[in-house]
Amino acid sequence: MIEPLARLGACRGGDPVPTASAITQARKRLGPQVVREVFHRVAVPVADLLTVGAHVGSLRLVSFDGTTLDMPDTRSNADAYGYPGSSGERAAFPQLRLLTLIEDGSLAALMCRAASEAGLDPDRLSPTRTLRIVRRRIADPAAISP
């Protein structure tokens, strides 16, 4: 998170750059509702029509990016995200499966969803179902048009 802040010029003129630990501590103090609200306010398209790789004609290009994140090994995380594994083996940590809608060209995150937030089994989250969830979650389709 620190690198994107620096790239966006959030730390200018000798301002101290926060450490990853400071960001984590601040997120814990603020709580999930505040962090979610901040994300929704800043997760907007930033590329204009001249941004290389962001448009084909007047159409904005976006991509889905999926990843998994190791979560702290707590009872609540285990209940929410589960332990992936195969052949009778279990992962050491619960893992959150995360889907992000990214604006091509700028690489700005437009939307993030954890599979469990959608009330779905992450192992059964098909591309078609994912697209339906995304379509329902985007309140204003004009928000991602050029």
Side-chain angles (χ1 to χ4, degrees):
M1 177 158 189
I2 303 306
E3 289 177 29
L5 286 173
R7 226 182 21 240
L8 292 170
C11 303
R12 301 179 200 200
D15 289 341
V17 177
T19 64
S21 175
I23 297 289
T24 299
Q25 291 172 25
R27 272 197 322 253
K28 286 180 181 177
R29 280 193 311 272
L30 294 171
Q33 292 296 82
V34 173
V35 173
R36 185 177 294 117
E37 177 65 26
V38 169
F39 178 81
H40 288 300
R41 288 182 185 205
V42 300
V44 296
V46 296
D48 61 23
L49 289 173
L50 299 177
T51 303
V52 175
H55 295 87
V56 171
S58 64
L59 299 176
R60 182 176 308 277
L61 298 176
V62 295
S63 300
F64 286 107
D65 181 32
T67 190
T68 57
L69 304 172
D70 286 340
M71 303 300 290
D73 194 8
T74 65
R75 173 61 122 188
S76 62
N77 284 342
D79 291 343
Y81 307 113
Y83 294 90
S86 62
S87 303
E89 297 292 320
R90 183 185 94 163
F93 297 97
Q95 288 188 336
L96 176 139
R97 293 183 185 218
L98 187 67
L99 178 68
T100 308
L101 183 64
I102 305 289
E103 178 183 52
D104 294 352
S106 71
L107 303 182
L110 303 177
M111 190 190 78
C112 255
R113 277 295 165 235
S116 64
E117 283 184 36
L120 300 171
D121 177 352
D123 294 326
R124 297 191 175 144
L125 195 59
S126 72
T128 304
R129 179 76 172 131
T130 301
L131 289 172
R132 284 188 201 127
I133 292 167
V134 168
R135 192 171 48 218
R136 280 196 312 262
R137 301 286 183 175
I138 296 174
D140 179 11
I144 59 171
S145 65

